[in-house]
Amino acid sequence: MASLAKDIISASSMVDNKSSFFGSNVINQNLGRLCVNPVLIPLDRKRRLRKGVRTTTSVVVAAISEDLVKLVRVEKPVSFKVRAVLTVRNKVKEDLTETIVRKLDAFADQIGRNVVLELHSNDIDPKTRAPKKSKEAPLKDWSKKSNLKTERVNYTADILVDSEFGIPGAIAITNNHQKEFFLESIIIEGFACGPVHFPCNSWVQSYKDYSKPRVFFSNQPYLPHETPAGLRYLRDQELKDIRGDGEGVRKLSDRIYDYDVYNDLGNPDRGNEFIRPSLGGDKMPYPRRCRTGREPSNTDILAESRVEKPLPMYVPRDEQFEESKANAFSTGRLKAVLHNLLPSIVASISKKHDINSFSQLDSLYSKGVVLKLGLQDDLVKKLPLPKLVTRLHESSQGGGLLKYDTPKILSKDKFAWLRDDEFARQTIAGVNPVSIERLQVFPPVSQLDPDKYGSQESALREEHIIGHLNGMSVQQALEENKLFIIDYHDIYLPFLDRINALDGRKAYATRTIFFLNPSGTLMPVAIELSLPQALPGTESKRVVTPPADATSSWLWQLAKAHVCSNDAGVHQLVHHWLRTHASMEPFILAAHRQLSAMHPIYKLLDPHMRYTLEINALARQNLINADGVIEQCFTPGRYCMEMSAAAYKNWRFDLEGLPADLIRRGVAVRDPTKPHGLKLLVEDYPYASDGLMIWEAIQTWVRTYVNHYYPDSAHVCNDRELQAWYAESINVGHADLRNEDWWPTLADADDLTGILTTIIWLASAQHAALNFGQYPYGGYIPNRPPLMRRLLPDENDPEYMSFQDDPQKYFLSALPSLLQSTKYMAVVDTLSTHSPDEEYIGDRQQTDTWTGDSEIVEAFYSFSAEIQRIEKEIEKRNRDPSLKNRCGAGVLPYELLAPSSESGATCRGVPNSVSI
């Protein structure tokens, strides 16, 4: 027995010495799992202990006998404190109510109504079989810092954990204040693994609005099957909360993502003229939008009731504009209101609605809105204007809020818009470079149903264009890929009877033929103008060709204006709104609903979803709604969104990527010997050549990212969140097209790379190319009129004589009225403007800590470096005199795909997302 006692004492001493060595070391390295109390362990468990080293480390074994037992002594867990540092973004400008509530919260914080934190470990507690949690800890310095005026404030909390806690994977925050706060990030310091980062960028609601603790996950990404045991429940519950139950009216503080049809564009309670069809469903297919749950209107149970400005539309709280963005947008909207307020008043007291002269248009930029109307200061003072407007007018005499910026189209050559080469150049380097196609059949053929729309044989003939083909025959020009077309015949013709019956609207279904010169520039060679056939045998089509005399010059100019008007409509309603804004919304809704914030694909997509739901909601409220800006300013009028829905029937996600779109339009062919594997048939095609560089950079970055997380197809197929996201995007978000066979499959890493590259391309570069040139090119109405009010005069028309007497007056009277022009200019000015908080491609918030994967951070820096290289290459191309579509006397450089920009309407810059 004495010998046994000696052995026990010796072993005990050994354990004490060993544990004293490991005690602090275990805490520092966060590896220790110290067991409680000395225990006797049968020898046959020896191997199991050693195999369990991953969860039970630094166990000291004292052998007593090979046959009996061995003695182990282990220490109790040691508690220690870690520090949480929360970065909260303050509101710069508070109203009185917000200031009072802030002070009340500071007082309440002192008496114990705090913001409380609780850490969640990656591990499960073996005793309770529940996730390990820390003790709750309040932020300890909120009341002291409540009066700080800085934009960002750091708050701290000391959180007590024990040495068995493991690595923190989530943090739960309970806001016991009355006011929400915007949490940018959290850093936990004190663990052996180093600082643990929690990117948040989210509003934390008061307990009154959200009774549960708000959960944020660390920046370590996990596929669903990799989720640590301690986080699995939180991951699933967070997604369940975000999806909601599909019931009830959404509050502005909610963070719930769900789907609905576009049944809120009309306002039947205002009268029959404000009734609009619901978009989405069998009758009129359309993508889905974010559900608000508002009550139905009083007169139509299927139409959602309206929320009119300035009341806010619901979008999930984190989707709303941040303060600097909201201020920039409000300033733009105020500018738009003021730009139209005075013209509206003048229009109501004056019969002179038309633009009288080109000099009157010029004065919009040089003298301002009021002066260009010929109003004297004493008349302004007599008008019943708000004091704010009067003061702004007085301050704008030297140039201020009521003066329009000179559009870029006028900056280098004031008369460039009149030239045919500039008219053609803008089809490949302007604000809508995605309509032009290679002409494959001449005359062009309509795809409309002849039983419904009659024979639609084109009036174009070889004799119309043969003199403009540089000595080629039409067949030769077709075979050598020299003929191109912008064909708006089939999209406009079904609507023309209704459009032309509207007051102040006149339109044709147009086709424009272009010839590719040896110099690499395009020239228009014929314009076909079509109307619905009124009676069998009546002439419904006419062809206008480049002019040979004064009269034909003005007719040609009018024909080009009608083409530009149609182009403006298709650009806005189809290429811009439908193909970037509306078609992206379902993918964004599904990402929030099905992908956890810790999912690597969510982290990849996150910057490309910013602000899109908010700007789309604002569009439903102010732009695309009944009698909204789009209906007032564009040719189709009240039929605008029906035209957009008609185009959706031909929308194909698999052809929305840039290479596929170029091939579909016949302007490129596959050629592995060429850069990007494509040969452009118009070599100097600025949008395409710059776009392909950005497309390839995005594709390379996405492929690197995807391959890192998905080494084989099994990982893709078995990722339940990923598959649910893609399936819901199609089956719910694009439900009306869910049965189409062209949807890409999602079975391996290549499939996923293609899908994600297309989404990121559409949200960033494609939207930028279509959006930020709207004011630079459209801000001068004659260059790009959004609507036309007169058809071309016919020799048999009574007004033909007035056209011959004063063709300039006739031309100006065919353009939008002064009020329509200024309203349109003000709106596209706002839409073309970058906000100060814009995030551009190659940048993202918390660049070093948005993910905990160092290899991916390094890959993102490589992507950023490639974007910077592309920007320099674009600058180089814009200085190359051989590229005549972007360099030359009076020619605007093509910068719409130049990645970076300052704030304002700069005609350049590629934001990460559809943010305006």
Side-chain angles (χ1 to χ4, degrees), residues 811-828:
F811 179 83
L812 291 171
S813 70
L815 298 181
S817 69
L818 186 61
L819 179 57
Q820 289 168 327
S821 297
T822 54
K823 178 174 290 189
Y824 172 76
M825 290 163 61
V827 170
V828 294

Side-chain angles (χ1 to χ4, degrees), residues 516-747:
L516 180 62
N517 289 314
S519 64
T521 60
L522 292 168
M523 287 296 285
V525 296
I527 297 173
E528 181 184 42
L529 306 170
S530 299
L531 294 169
Q533 198 166 14
L535 295 169
T538 58
E539 188 62 45
S540 60
K541 301 177 186 294
R542 67 188 292 181
V543 175
V544 184
T545 55
D549 53 46
T551 301
S552 59
S553 289
W554 281 104
L555 291 174
W556 178 245
Q557 213 59 46
L558 279 165
K560 288 196 298 180
H562 272 279
V563 171
C564 289
S565 172
N566 282 4
D567 189 71
V570 171
H571 161 261
Q572 195 68 267
L573 302 171
V574 180
H575 301 318
H576 179 206
W577 167 257
L578 171 64
R579 293 174 62 187
T580 62
H581 285 261
S583 67
M584 281 296 96
E585 189 155 345
F587 291 100
I588 293 170
L589 291 170
H592 286 287
R593 287 167 52 85
Q594 300 297 342
L595 296 176
S596 166
M598 66 174 76
H599 198 292
I601 299 305
Y602 181 91
K603 290 180 178 293
L604 174 69
L605 289 176
D606 186 36
H608 306 291
M609 303 189 290
R610 187 178 187 231
Y611 292 154
T612 303
L613 298 186
E614 170 81 339
I615 198 65
N616 285 4
L618 289 169
R620 298 201 318 273
Q621 187 179 43
N622 300 320
L623 296 180
I624 63 173
N625 58 304
D627 201 38
V629 171
I630 298 297
E631 287 193 3
Q632 291 180 26
C633 293
F634 287 87
T635 292
R638 62 177 294 153
Y639 306 109
C640 278
M641 292 309 293
E642 290 185 51
M643 184 179 286
S644 182
Y648 180 61
K649 295 175 184 177
N650 297 316
W651 178 84
R652 287 184 53 166
F653 178 76
D654 64 322
L655 299 180
E656 287 297 285
L658 179 59
D661 179 57
L662 294 172
I663 291 168
R664 167 177 58 178
R665 292 190 281 121
V667 295
V669 292
R670 294 201 181 279
D671 185 343
T673 67
K674 297 290 184 181
H676 322 293
L678 287 181
K679 177 184 178 182
L680 295 175
L681 299 184
V682 180
E683 288 187 22
D684 181 17
Y685 187 169
Y687 158 78
S689 54
D690 292 0
L692 284 168
M693 289 194 296
I694 295 178
W695 169 271
E696 190 166 286
I698 294 171
Q699 186 180 54
T700 301
W701 155 237
V702 172
R703 183 180 288 115
T704 301
Y705 192 96
V706 167
N707 288 341
H708 182 76
Y709 293 104
Y710 297 94
D712 52 50
S713 59
H715 278 74
V716 174
C717 294
N718 295 328
D719 186 338
R720 55 184 172 83
E721 288 184 8
L722 180 72
Q723 294 293 338
W725 162 69
Y726 189 53
E728 186 174 283
S729 298
I730 296 169
N731 295 319
V732 183
H734 286 280
D736 303 325
L737 301 179
R738 65 186 178 276
N739 294 322
E740 299 294 336
D741 60 6
W742 44 254
W743 283 103
T745 57
L746 180 51

